[in-house]
Amino acid sequence: MKEKLLLIVLIAGLAACQSRQKEIESIEKIPYQYRSSYHFAPESGWMNDPNGMVYYAGEYHLFYQYYPDGLQWGPMHWGHAVSEDMVHWEHLPIALYPDELGYIFSGSAVVDINNTSGLGSLEEPPMVAIFTYHDMAAERQGREDYETQGIAYSMDKGRTWTKYADNPVLNNPGVRDFRDPKVIWNESTSKWIMSLAVRDHVEFYSSPDLLTWTKESEFGQNLGAHGGVWECPDLFPLKDENGEEKWVLLVSINPGGPNGGSATQYFIGSFDGHEYQVQDAQTRWVDIGSDNYAGVSWFGVPESDGRRLTMGWMNNWNYANQIPQSGSRGNMTIAREFVLNENILKSVPITELKDLRGQGTSLDVREVTSLDQESFELEMKFVSSVKAPLQLTFQNESGEELLIEFGNGLVKVDRSKVSGNSFSEQFNPVLASSFDSDIYEVRVFVDRVSVELFVNNGSLSMTQLMFPSAELDEVTFAGDVEAIDEVVVYPLSLKTPR
Ligand code: FRU
Protein backbone atom coordinates (compact mmCIF):
# COMPACT_ATOMS: atom_id res chain seq x y z
CA MET A 1 0.00 0.00 0.00
CA LYS A 2 2.78 2.36 1.06
CA GLU A 3 4.70 1.66 -2.20
CA LYS A 4 1.58 2.30 -4.23
CA LEU A 5 1.05 5.65 -2.52
CA LEU A 6 4.68 6.62 -3.09
CA LEU A 7 4.33 5.74 -6.78
CA ILE A 8 1.20 7.88 -7.12
CA VAL A 9 2.94 10.81 -5.41
CA LEU A 10 5.98 10.36 -7.69
CA ILE A 11 3.86 10.25 -10.85
CA ALA A 12 1.86 13.32 -9.74
CA GLY A 13 5.12 15.16 -8.98
CA LEU A 14 6.55 14.24 -12.37
CA ALA A 15 3.39 15.42 -14.15
CA ALA A 16 3.52 18.75 -12.26
CA CYS A 17 7.20 19.17 -13.22
CA GLN A 18 6.42 18.39 -16.86
CA SER A 19 3.58 20.88 -17.01
CA ARG A 20 5.78 23.53 -15.34
CA GLN A 21 8.51 22.74 -17.89
CA LYS A 22 5.98 23.14 -20.72
CA GLU A 23 4.88 26.45 -19.27
CA ILE A 24 8.50 27.65 -19.07
CA GLU A 25 9.09 26.57 -22.69
CA SER A 26 6.00 28.39 -23.87
CA ILE A 27 7.02 31.44 -21.82
CA GLU A 28 10.37 31.43 -23.62
CA LYS A 29 8.62 31.60 -26.97
CA ILE A 30 6.60 34.66 -26.02
CA PRO A 31 7.98 37.83 -27.63
CA TYR A 32 9.46 40.34 -25.24
CA GLN A 33 7.11 43.06 -26.38
CA TYR A 34 4.76 42.97 -23.37
CA ARG A 35 7.48 43.27 -20.76
CA SER A 36 7.91 46.75 -19.37
CA SER A 37 11.47 48.00 -19.25
CA TYR A 38 11.71 50.26 -16.19
CA HIS A 39 8.66 49.25 -14.17
CA PHE A 40 8.95 46.63 -11.49
CA ALA A 41 7.75 43.17 -12.55
CA PRO A 42 8.66 39.71 -11.26
CA GLU A 43 11.07 37.69 -13.37
CA SER A 44 8.33 35.14 -14.06
CA GLY A 45 4.94 34.17 -12.72
CA TRP A 46 1.98 36.19 -11.49
CA MET A 47 2.07 39.35 -9.35
CA ASN A 48 -0.64 41.50 -7.79
CA ASP A 49 -0.61 43.93 -4.82
CA PRO A 50 2.53 45.53 -3.39
CA ASN A 51 2.96 44.29 0.20
CA GLY A 52 5.15 44.99 3.20
CA MET A 53 6.70 48.15 1.84
CA VAL A 54 9.27 49.14 4.41
CA TYR A 55 12.48 51.14 4.39
CA TYR A 56 15.33 49.86 6.51
CA ALA A 57 19.10 50.28 6.58
CA GLY A 58 19.35 52.00 3.21
CA GLU A 59 16.97 49.65 1.39
CA TYR A 60 13.43 50.02 0.19
CA HIS A 61 11.75 46.64 0.46
CA LEU A 62 9.00 45.66 -1.88
CA PHE A 63 7.13 42.46 -1.15
CA TYR A 64 4.26 41.53 -3.39
CA GLN A 65 1.41 39.07 -3.90
CA TYR A 66 3.07 36.37 -5.92
CA TYR A 67 2.20 33.08 -7.56
CA PRO A 68 5.49 31.71 -8.92
CA ASP A 69 4.07 28.63 -10.64
CA GLY A 70 1.61 30.17 -13.04
CA LEU A 71 0.58 33.25 -14.95
CA GLN A 72 -2.78 33.66 -13.28
CA TRP A 73 -3.72 34.32 -9.66
CA GLY A 74 -3.07 31.24 -7.51
CA PRO A 75 -1.80 30.21 -4.06
CA MET A 76 -0.39 33.45 -2.73
CA HIS A 77 3.20 33.90 -1.57
CA TRP A 78 5.09 37.09 -0.80
CA GLY A 79 7.67 37.78 -3.49
CA HIS A 80 10.50 40.12 -2.51
CA ALA A 81 12.81 42.73 -4.02
CA VAL A 82 14.99 45.52 -2.63
CA SER A 83 16.15 48.83 -4.02
CA GLU A 84 18.17 51.83 -2.93
CA ASP A 85 16.11 54.22 -5.05
CA MET A 86 12.71 52.54 -5.79
CA VAL A 87 13.78 52.46 -9.43
CA HIS A 88 16.54 49.83 -9.73
CA TRP A 89 15.35 46.61 -8.08
CA GLU A 90 17.17 43.49 -7.04
CA HIS A 91 15.06 40.35 -7.01
CA LEU A 92 15.35 38.26 -3.85
CA PRO A 93 14.04 34.79 -2.97
CA ILE A 94 10.39 34.36 -2.01
CA ALA A 95 9.88 35.70 1.52
CA LEU A 96 6.70 33.93 2.65
CA TYR A 97 5.16 30.67 1.48
CA PRO A 98 1.59 29.52 2.08
CA ASP A 99 1.26 27.08 4.99
CA GLU A 100 -1.39 25.06 6.82
CA LEU A 101 -3.11 28.27 7.99
CA GLY A 102 -3.60 29.44 4.42
CA TYR A 103 -2.37 31.51 1.53
CA ILE A 104 -0.40 34.64 2.39
CA PHE A 105 -2.58 37.57 1.35
CA SER A 106 -1.73 41.27 1.43
CA GLY A 107 -0.30 43.08 4.41
CA SER A 108 2.46 45.33 5.63
CA ALA A 109 5.84 45.28 7.33
CA VAL A 110 7.42 47.39 10.07
CA VAL A 111 10.76 47.60 11.80
CA ASP A 112 10.14 47.11 15.50
CA ILE A 113 12.90 49.49 16.59
CA ASN A 114 12.00 49.30 20.31
CA ASN A 115 11.61 45.53 20.14
CA THR A 116 8.08 45.85 21.55
CA SER A 117 7.35 42.35 20.21
CA GLY A 118 10.33 40.80 21.97
CA LEU A 119 11.03 38.92 18.73
CA GLY A 120 14.48 40.50 18.45
CA SER A 121 16.46 42.79 20.71
CA LEU A 122 17.14 46.50 21.01
CA GLU A 123 20.51 45.97 19.36
CA GLU A 124 18.96 43.88 16.62
CA PRO A 125 15.39 45.00 16.05
CA PRO A 126 13.21 42.58 14.11
CA MET A 127 11.51 43.36 10.84
CA VAL A 128 7.93 42.19 11.29
CA ALA A 129 5.48 41.36 8.51
CA ILE A 130 1.77 41.45 9.30
CA PHE A 131 -0.38 39.70 6.68
CA THR A 132 -3.68 37.97 6.09
CA TYR A 133 -3.94 34.20 6.15
CA HIS A 134 -6.59 33.09 3.67
CA ASP A 135 -7.67 29.54 4.40
CA MET A 136 -8.99 28.15 1.10
CA ALA A 137 -10.11 24.84 2.63
CA ALA A 138 -12.25 26.70 5.19
CA GLU A 139 -13.68 28.90 2.46
CA ARG A 140 -14.58 25.86 0.39
CA GLN A 141 -16.32 24.33 3.40
CA GLY A 142 -18.58 27.39 3.41
CA ARG A 143 -17.16 28.92 6.59
CA GLU A 144 -17.16 32.69 7.02
CA ASP A 145 -14.10 33.05 9.22
CA TYR A 146 -11.41 31.95 6.76
CA GLU A 147 -9.36 35.17 6.91
CA THR A 148 -7.17 35.85 9.94
CA GLN A 149 -4.07 37.96 10.55
CA GLY A 150 -0.66 36.41 11.07
CA ILE A 151 2.86 37.73 11.56
CA ALA A 152 6.38 36.66 10.63
CA TYR A 153 9.72 38.19 11.53
CA SER A 154 13.15 38.55 10.02
CA MET A 155 16.46 39.19 11.76
CA ASP A 156 18.49 39.59 8.58
CA LYS A 157 17.00 42.59 6.77
CA GLY A 158 14.13 40.65 5.27
CA ARG A 159 16.26 37.92 3.68
CA THR A 160 14.80 35.03 5.69
CA TRP A 161 11.60 34.86 7.69
CA THR A 162 10.21 32.90 10.62
CA LYS A 163 6.47 32.63 11.07
CA TYR A 164 5.35 33.47 14.60
CA ALA A 165 4.56 30.28 16.51
CA ASP A 166 1.22 31.54 17.89
CA ASN A 167 -0.40 32.65 14.66
CA PRO A 168 -2.99 33.93 14.03
CA VAL A 169 -2.53 37.07 16.13
CA LEU A 170 -5.98 38.35 15.20
CA ASN A 171 -8.89 35.96 14.82
CA ASN A 172 -11.85 36.41 12.57
CA PRO A 173 -15.12 37.43 14.23
CA GLY A 174 -17.14 35.71 11.47
CA VAL A 175 -16.87 38.06 8.48
CA ARG A 176 -16.02 36.90 4.97
CA ASP A 177 -13.73 39.82 4.08
CA PHE A 178 -11.31 40.57 6.89
CA ARG A 179 -7.94 41.40 5.42
CA ASP A 180 -4.96 43.47 4.32
CA PRO A 181 -3.54 44.75 7.66
CA LYS A 182 -1.50 47.94 7.33
CA VAL A 183 0.39 48.74 10.51
CA ILE A 184 1.90 52.05 11.62
CA TRP A 185 3.45 53.27 14.87
CA ASN A 186 1.29 55.94 16.50
CA GLU A 187 3.49 58.33 18.49
CA SER A 188 0.75 60.00 20.51
CA THR A 189 -0.49 56.77 22.12
CA SER A 190 2.78 54.80 21.83
CA LYS A 191 0.89 51.96 20.17
CA TRP A 192 0.86 50.13 16.90
CA ILE A 193 -2.26 50.84 14.85
CA MET A 194 -3.58 48.36 12.31
CA SER A 195 -6.00 49.43 9.59
CA LEU A 196 -7.94 46.43 8.35
CA ALA A 197 -10.40 46.14 5.45
CA VAL A 198 -13.60 44.49 6.65
CA ARG A 199 -16.04 44.06 3.76
CA ASP A 200 -17.56 47.58 3.49
CA HIS A 201 -15.57 49.47 6.13
CA VAL A 202 -12.18 49.82 7.80
CA GLU A 203 -11.53 48.65 11.35
CA PHE A 204 -8.73 50.06 13.49
CA TYR A 205 -6.95 47.85 16.01
CA SER A 206 -4.22 48.84 18.46
CA SER A 207 -1.40 46.86 20.00
CA PRO A 208 1.49 47.51 22.39
CA ASP A 209 3.58 44.67 20.92
CA LEU A 210 2.28 43.53 17.49
CA LEU A 211 1.20 40.26 19.13
CA THR A 212 -2.11 41.16 20.80
CA TRP A 213 -4.64 43.41 19.13
CA THR A 214 -7.62 45.34 20.51
CA LYS A 215 -10.37 46.77 18.36
CA GLU A 216 -10.58 50.56 18.61
CA SER A 217 -13.20 51.63 16.09
CA GLU A 218 -14.83 51.27 12.69
CA PHE A 219 -14.94 53.71 9.85
CA GLY A 220 -16.63 54.30 6.53
CA GLN A 221 -19.71 52.14 6.23
CA ASN A 222 -21.69 55.16 5.04
CA LEU A 223 -18.89 57.18 3.48
CA GLY A 224 -17.05 57.09 0.17
CA ALA A 225 -17.58 54.72 -2.73
CA HIS A 226 -19.20 51.35 -2.05
CA GLY A 227 -19.56 49.73 -5.45
CA GLY A 228 -17.51 46.75 -4.26
CA VAL A 229 -15.53 45.30 -1.39
CA TRP A 230 -13.05 47.48 0.51
CA GLU A 231 -9.43 46.32 0.42
CA CYS A 232 -5.89 47.42 1.25
CA PRO A 233 -6.41 50.39 3.59
CA ASP A 234 -3.56 52.68 4.65
CA LEU A 235 -3.76 55.39 7.32
CA PHE A 236 -0.96 57.94 7.63
CA PRO A 237 -0.33 61.54 8.72
CA LEU A 238 0.65 64.06 6.08
CA LYS A 239 1.27 67.80 6.40
CA ASP A 240 -0.58 70.02 3.95
CA GLU A 241 0.77 73.13 2.20
CA ASN A 242 0.28 75.16 5.42
CA GLY A 243 2.18 72.69 7.54
CA GLU A 244 -1.02 71.44 9.15
CA GLU A 245 -1.04 67.72 9.88
CA LYS A 246 -3.95 65.78 8.40
CA TRP A 247 -4.58 62.06 8.34
CA VAL A 248 -5.08 60.44 4.98
CA LEU A 249 -6.86 57.10 4.68
CA LEU A 250 -6.45 55.15 1.44
CA VAL A 251 -9.03 52.49 0.65
CA SER A 252 -8.93 50.35 -2.46
CA ILE A 253 -12.25 49.20 -3.79
CA ASN A 254 -13.15 46.44 -6.22
CA PRO A 255 -15.31 46.77 -8.22
CA GLY A 256 -16.71 50.30 -8.04
CA GLY A 257 -13.80 52.38 -9.38
CA PRO A 258 -14.57 55.42 -11.56
CA ASN A 259 -13.60 53.47 -14.71
CA GLY A 260 -15.15 50.19 -13.62
CA GLY A 261 -13.37 47.50 -11.62
CA SER A 262 -10.53 48.36 -9.28
CA ALA A 263 -9.44 51.79 -7.99
CA THR A 264 -8.20 53.47 -4.84
CA GLN A 265 -10.16 56.17 -3.02
CA TYR A 266 -8.91 58.35 -0.20
CA PHE A 267 -10.27 60.34 2.71
CA ILE A 268 -8.79 63.36 4.48
CA GLY A 269 -9.41 63.77 8.17
CA SER A 270 -8.00 63.36 11.66
CA PHE A 271 -7.05 60.44 13.87
CA ASP A 272 -6.76 60.60 17.67
CA GLY A 273 -5.18 57.18 18.12
CA HIS A 274 -8.62 55.58 18.43
CA GLU A 275 -11.03 56.95 15.86
CA TYR A 276 -10.86 58.39 12.38
CA GLN A 277 -12.96 61.48 11.51
CA VAL A 278 -13.27 62.84 7.98
CA GLN A 279 -13.18 66.56 7.33
CA ASP A 280 -15.83 66.24 4.60
CA ALA A 281 -17.84 63.52 2.92
CA GLN A 282 -16.37 63.86 -0.56
CA THR A 283 -15.33 60.77 -2.54
CA ARG A 284 -11.82 61.28 -3.94
CA TRP A 285 -9.66 59.03 -6.11
CA VAL A 286 -5.88 58.62 -5.95
CA ASP A 287 -5.67 58.01 -9.70
CA ILE A 288 -8.41 58.31 -12.26
CA GLY A 289 -6.90 55.91 -14.80
CA SER A 290 -8.04 52.31 -15.00
CA ASP A 291 -4.88 50.58 -13.77
CA ASN A 292 -3.57 51.63 -10.38
CA TYR A 293 -4.75 49.46 -7.52
CA ALA A 294 -3.93 48.38 -3.97
CA GLY A 295 -1.21 51.00 -3.53
CA VAL A 296 -0.15 51.78 0.03
CA SER A 297 2.78 53.73 1.46
CA TRP A 298 6.26 52.83 2.66
CA PHE A 299 6.79 52.45 6.40
CA GLY A 300 9.91 53.79 8.05
CA VAL A 301 11.11 56.40 5.56
CA PRO A 302 13.51 58.50 7.69
CA GLU A 303 12.29 61.88 8.91
CA SER A 304 15.31 63.47 7.24
CA ASP A 305 13.75 62.39 3.96
CA GLY A 306 10.19 63.06 5.10
CA ARG A 307 8.41 61.87 1.98
CA ARG A 308 5.30 59.70 1.95
CA LEU A 309 6.14 57.24 -0.81
CA THR A 310 3.91 54.81 -2.66
CA MET A 311 3.52 52.39 -5.52
CA GLY A 312 0.44 50.60 -6.85
CA TRP A 313 -0.28 47.46 -8.80
CA MET A 314 -0.70 48.62 -12.40
CA ASN A 315 -3.72 46.50 -13.20
CA ASN A 316 -7.43 46.01 -12.73
CA TRP A 317 -9.18 42.88 -11.46
CA ASN A 318 -11.68 43.25 -14.33
CA TYR A 319 -9.08 41.70 -16.65
CA ALA A 320 -5.84 41.21 -14.68
CA ASN A 321 -5.76 37.46 -15.37
CA GLN A 322 -6.07 37.98 -19.12
CA ILE A 323 -3.69 40.83 -19.97
CA PRO A 324 -1.15 40.02 -22.69
CA GLN A 325 2.15 39.06 -21.10
CA SER A 326 5.70 38.09 -21.91
CA GLY A 327 6.67 35.58 -19.25
CA SER A 328 5.37 37.38 -16.17
CA ARG A 329 1.99 38.93 -15.54
CA GLY A 330 1.67 42.16 -13.57
CA ASN A 331 3.66 45.37 -13.15
CA MET A 332 3.87 48.00 -10.45
CA THR A 333 3.35 51.68 -11.23
CA ILE A 334 6.36 53.97 -11.01
CA ALA A 335 7.00 55.08 -7.43
CA ARG A 336 5.31 58.31 -6.45
CA GLU A 337 5.36 60.76 -3.59
CA PHE A 338 2.06 61.74 -2.00
CA VAL A 339 1.79 65.49 -1.45
CA LEU A 340 -1.25 67.09 0.19
CA ASN A 341 -2.18 70.40 -1.35
CA GLU A 342 -5.53 72.20 -1.21
CA ASN A 343 -7.21 68.97 -0.13
CA ILE A 344 -5.89 67.07 -3.11
CA LEU A 345 -3.62 64.10 -2.59
CA LYS A 346 -1.14 64.68 -5.38
CA SER A 347 0.86 61.80 -6.84
CA VAL A 348 4.24 63.15 -7.86
CA PRO A 349 6.72 60.88 -9.70
CA ILE A 350 9.71 60.48 -7.38
CA THR A 351 12.77 62.57 -8.26
CA GLU A 352 14.91 59.40 -8.43
CA LEU A 353 13.19 58.62 -11.75
CA LYS A 354 15.24 61.40 -13.31
CA ASP A 355 18.26 59.06 -13.05
CA LEU A 356 16.67 56.98 -15.79
CA ARG A 357 16.76 59.87 -18.24
CA GLY A 358 19.04 59.85 -21.24
CA GLN A 359 19.74 62.96 -23.30
CA GLY A 360 16.59 65.14 -23.56
CA THR A 361 15.40 66.40 -26.95
CA SER A 362 13.29 69.51 -27.41
CA LEU A 363 10.48 68.76 -29.85
CA ASP A 364 9.13 70.97 -32.57
CA VAL A 365 5.40 70.66 -31.90
CA ARG A 366 4.55 71.55 -35.51
CA GLU A 367 6.19 68.44 -36.87
CA VAL A 368 5.76 64.72 -36.64
CA THR A 369 8.65 63.68 -34.43
CA SER A 370 10.26 60.30 -34.34
CA LEU A 371 10.96 59.22 -30.77
CA ASP A 372 13.12 56.20 -31.61
CA GLN A 373 12.33 54.47 -28.36
CA GLU A 374 9.42 52.77 -26.68
CA SER A 375 10.20 53.76 -23.09
CA PHE A 376 10.38 57.47 -22.48
CA GLU A 377 9.15 60.44 -20.54
CA LEU A 378 7.64 63.45 -22.21
CA GLU A 379 7.54 66.71 -20.29
CA MET A 380 5.38 69.63 -21.43
CA LYS A 381 5.30 73.17 -20.11
CA PHE A 382 2.71 75.74 -21.12
CA VAL A 383 2.87 79.50 -21.67
CA SER A 384 -0.82 79.97 -21.18
CA SER A 385 -3.67 77.76 -20.17
CA VAL A 386 -4.91 75.30 -22.78
CA LYS A 387 -8.10 76.67 -24.35
CA ALA A 388 -9.29 74.63 -27.29
CA PRO A 389 -8.44 70.98 -26.77
CA LEU A 390 -4.83 70.01 -27.32
CA GLN A 391 -4.10 66.55 -28.67
CA LEU A 392 -0.97 64.49 -28.43
CA THR A 393 -0.90 61.39 -30.59
CA PHE A 394 1.68 58.65 -30.23
CA GLN A 395 1.66 56.39 -33.26
CA ASN A 396 3.55 53.70 -35.14
CA GLU A 397 3.96 52.51 -38.72
CA SER A 398 1.13 50.01 -38.33
CA GLY A 399 -1.32 52.87 -37.85
CA GLU A 400 -1.78 52.28 -34.12
CA GLU A 401 -2.44 55.43 -32.09
CA LEU A 402 -2.55 56.46 -28.48
CA LEU A 403 -4.35 59.76 -28.09
CA ILE A 404 -4.07 62.06 -25.08
CA GLU A 405 -6.26 65.14 -25.05
CA PHE A 406 -6.50 68.12 -22.68
CA GLY A 407 -8.73 71.16 -22.58
CA ASN A 408 -12.36 72.20 -22.19
CA GLY A 409 -12.23 70.99 -18.61
CA LEU A 410 -11.40 67.42 -19.63
CA VAL A 411 -8.45 65.06 -19.74
CA LYS A 412 -8.82 62.04 -22.01
CA VAL A 413 -6.71 58.98 -22.79
CA ASP A 414 -7.90 57.03 -25.82
CA ARG A 415 -6.36 53.64 -26.57
CA SER A 416 -9.04 52.53 -29.02
CA LYS A 417 -6.60 52.64 -31.95
CA VAL A 418 -3.94 50.65 -30.15
CA SER A 419 -4.16 46.98 -31.13
CA GLY A 420 -4.24 44.30 -28.46
CA ASN A 421 -7.42 45.45 -26.67
CA SER A 422 -9.43 42.34 -27.40
CA PHE A 423 -8.20 40.18 -24.50
CA SER A 424 -11.19 41.24 -22.42
CA GLU A 425 -14.55 42.87 -23.05
CA GLN A 426 -14.11 44.68 -19.78
CA PHE A 427 -11.08 46.58 -21.02
CA ASN A 428 -12.44 50.05 -21.69
CA PRO A 429 -10.02 51.82 -24.07
CA VAL A 430 -11.38 55.37 -23.69
CA LEU A 431 -10.95 57.06 -20.32
CA ALA A 432 -11.86 60.63 -19.51
CA SER A 433 -12.00 62.80 -16.44
CA SER A 434 -13.07 66.35 -15.76
CA PHE A 435 -10.25 68.70 -14.83
CA ASP A 436 -11.17 72.33 -14.35
CA SER A 437 -7.86 73.90 -13.31
CA ASP A 438 -5.54 75.69 -15.72
CA ILE A 439 -2.93 73.25 -16.96
CA TYR A 440 0.66 74.39 -16.52
CA GLU A 441 2.63 71.17 -16.70
CA VAL A 442 2.17 67.64 -18.01
CA ARG A 443 4.42 64.59 -17.72
CA VAL A 444 3.79 61.38 -19.60
CA PHE A 445 5.68 58.17 -18.77
CA VAL A 446 5.46 55.48 -21.45
CA ASP A 447 6.93 52.02 -20.99
CA ARG A 448 5.85 49.64 -23.78
CA VAL A 449 2.66 48.47 -22.06
CA SER A 450 1.73 51.47 -19.97
CA VAL A 451 1.12 55.18 -20.01
CA GLU A 452 1.14 57.22 -16.80
CA LEU A 453 -0.02 60.78 -17.05
CA PHE A 454 0.61 63.47 -14.43
CA VAL A 455 -0.96 66.90 -14.77
CA ASN A 456 0.13 69.93 -12.73
CA ASN A 457 2.71 68.18 -10.63
CA GLY A 458 0.48 65.18 -9.93
CA SER A 459 -2.77 67.07 -9.14
CA LEU A 460 -4.28 64.62 -11.56
CA SER A 461 -2.73 61.24 -12.22
CA MET A 462 -4.01 58.74 -14.73
CA THR A 463 -2.41 55.32 -15.06
CA GLN A 464 -3.32 52.79 -17.71
CA LEU A 465 -2.10 49.79 -19.63
CA MET A 466 -1.96 49.41 -23.40
CA PHE A 467 -0.74 46.65 -25.68
CA PRO A 468 0.54 47.97 -29.02
CA SER A 469 1.94 45.42 -31.50
CA ALA A 470 5.02 47.60 -32.04
CA GLU A 471 6.50 50.59 -30.31
CA LEU A 472 4.58 53.87 -30.60
CA ASP A 473 7.62 55.76 -31.76
CA GLU A 474 6.23 58.94 -33.31
CA VAL A 475 4.41 61.84 -31.76
CA THR A 476 2.28 64.63 -33.24
CA PHE A 477 0.56 67.59 -31.62
CA ALA A 478 -2.72 69.15 -32.75
CA GLY A 479 -5.26 71.68 -31.51
CA ASP A 480 -4.14 74.45 -29.19
CA VAL A 481 -0.38 74.05 -29.80
CA GLU A 482 0.02 77.82 -29.22
CA ALA A 483 -0.37 77.18 -25.50
CA ILE A 484 2.76 75.03 -25.41
CA ASP A 485 5.98 76.57 -24.20
CA GLU A 486 8.28 73.57 -24.45
CA VAL A 487 8.14 69.81 -24.93
CA VAL A 488 11.15 67.70 -24.02
CA VAL A 489 11.35 63.96 -24.47
CA TYR A 490 13.79 61.79 -22.52
CA PRO A 491 14.58 58.16 -23.28
CA LEU A 492 14.28 56.17 -20.05
CA SER A 493 16.31 53.11 -19.24
CA LEU A 494 17.66 51.29 -16.21
CA LYS A 495 21.39 51.60 -15.59
CA THR A 496 21.56 48.17 -14.02
CA PRO A 497 19.31 45.22 -14.86
CA ARG A 498 16.37 44.62 -12.56
C1 FRU B 1 -6.37 43.14 -3.56
C2 FRU B 1 -6.55 41.76 -2.96
C3 FRU B 1 -6.41 41.81 -1.44
C4 FRU B 1 -5.98 40.43 -1.11
C5 FRU B 1 -5.09 40.07 -2.27
C6 FRU B 1 -5.14 38.62 -2.66
O1 FRU B 1 -6.00 43.12 -4.88
O2 FRU B 1 -7.78 41.21 -3.34
O3 FRU B 1 -7.58 42.24 -0.79
O4 FRU B 1 -5.30 40.37 0.11
O5 FRU B 1 -5.51 40.86 -3.36
O6 FRU B 1 -4.16 38.32 -3.61
Side-chain angles (χ1 to χ4, degrees), residues 83-143:
S83 168
E84 286 175 13
D85 59 5
M86 294 164 285
V87 176
H88 298 86
W89 291 96
E90 181 192 343
H91 292 283
L92 292 177
I94 292 174
L96 297 171
Y97 286 78
D99 60 40
E100 65 288 353
L101 292 179
Y103 294 176
I104 315 292
F105 270 23
S106 287
S108 50
V110 298
V111 181
D112 183 12
I113 286 291
N114 297 320
N115 192 34
T116 59
S117 61
L119 296 169
S121 65
L122 278 179
E123 297 71 44
E124 280 186 82
M127 186 180 276
V128 181
I130 308 100
F131 53 84
T132 297
Y133 267 123
H134 184 102
D135 182 346
M136 287 302 273
E139 184 182 8
R140 271 188 227 109
Q141 283 162 19
R143 278 173 40 190

Side-chain angles (χ1 to χ4, degrees), residues 28-216:
E28 279 164 2
K29 285 193 204 114
I30 297 169
Y32 196 62
Q33 83 190 68
Y34 297 128
R35 216 178 146 78
S36 54
S37 71
Y38 60 88
H39 283 76
F40 179 81
E43 287 171 303
S44 62
W46 160 274
M47 176 181 82
N48 56 288
D49 313 359
N51 293 153
M53 293 149 102
V54 61
Y55 177 86
Y56 185 50
E59 292 177 324
Y60 292 92
H61 291 260
L62 173 65
F63 300 88
Y64 51 89
Q65 288 288 278
Y66 187 40
Y67 181 45
D69 299 324
L71 287 164
Q72 296 197 323
W73 189 89
M76 281 292 116
H77 302 54
W78 272 27
H80 189 199
V82 288
S83 168
E84 286 175 13
D85 59 5
M86 294 164 285
V87 176
H88 298 86
W89 291 96
E90 181 192 343
H91 292 283
L92 292 177
I94 292 174
L96 297 171
Y97 286 78
D99 60 40
E100 65 288 353
L101 292 179
Y103 294 176
I104 315 292
F105 270 23
S106 287
S108 50
V110 298
V111 181
D112 183 12
I113 286 291
N114 297 320
N115 192 34
T116 59
S117 61
L119 296 169
S121 65
L122 278 179
E123 297 71 44
E124 280 186 82
M127 186 180 276
V128 181
I130 308 100
F131 53 84
T132 297
Y133 267 123
H134 184 102
D135 182 346
M136 287 302 273
E139 184 182 8
R140 271 188 227 109
Q141 283 162 19
R143 278 173 40 190
E144 309 269 283
D145 59 353
Y146 51 80
E147 288 187 336
T148 57
Q149 318 316 317
I151 66 173
Y153 59 99
S154 167
M155 299 306 299
D156 56 1
K157 298 185 185 158
R159 270 40 181 198
T160 58
W161 290 84
T162 308
K163 302 231 179 75
Y164 180 56
D166 270 334
N167 276 334
V169 291
L170 179 59
N171 276 309
N172 186 310
V175 230
R176 297 188 120 248
D177 300 291
F178 189 70
R179 59 174 174 267
D180 307 339
K182 176 73 166 80
V183 174
I184 56 167
W185 174 253
N186 186 50
E187 279 299 341
S188 67
T189 50
S190 289
K191 287 225 169 101
W192 298 101
I193 296 291
M194 175 198 291
S195 307
L196 196 71
V198 186
R199 204 178 42 225
D200 59 354
H201 63 276
V202 171
E203 293 185 358
F204 298 106
Y205 291 78
S206 69
S207 170
D209 56 8
L210 297 165
L211 310 176
T212 49
W213 293 91
T214 308
K215 185 167 165 182
E216 293 284 346

Side-chain angles (χ1 to χ4, degrees), residues 258-278:
N259 294 302
S262 322
T264 304
Q265 58 183 323
Y266 68 94
F267 301 91
I268 304 174
S270 59
F271 182 68
D272 63 2
H274 308 280
E275 278 181 25
Y276 185 69
Q277 305 279 354
V278 280

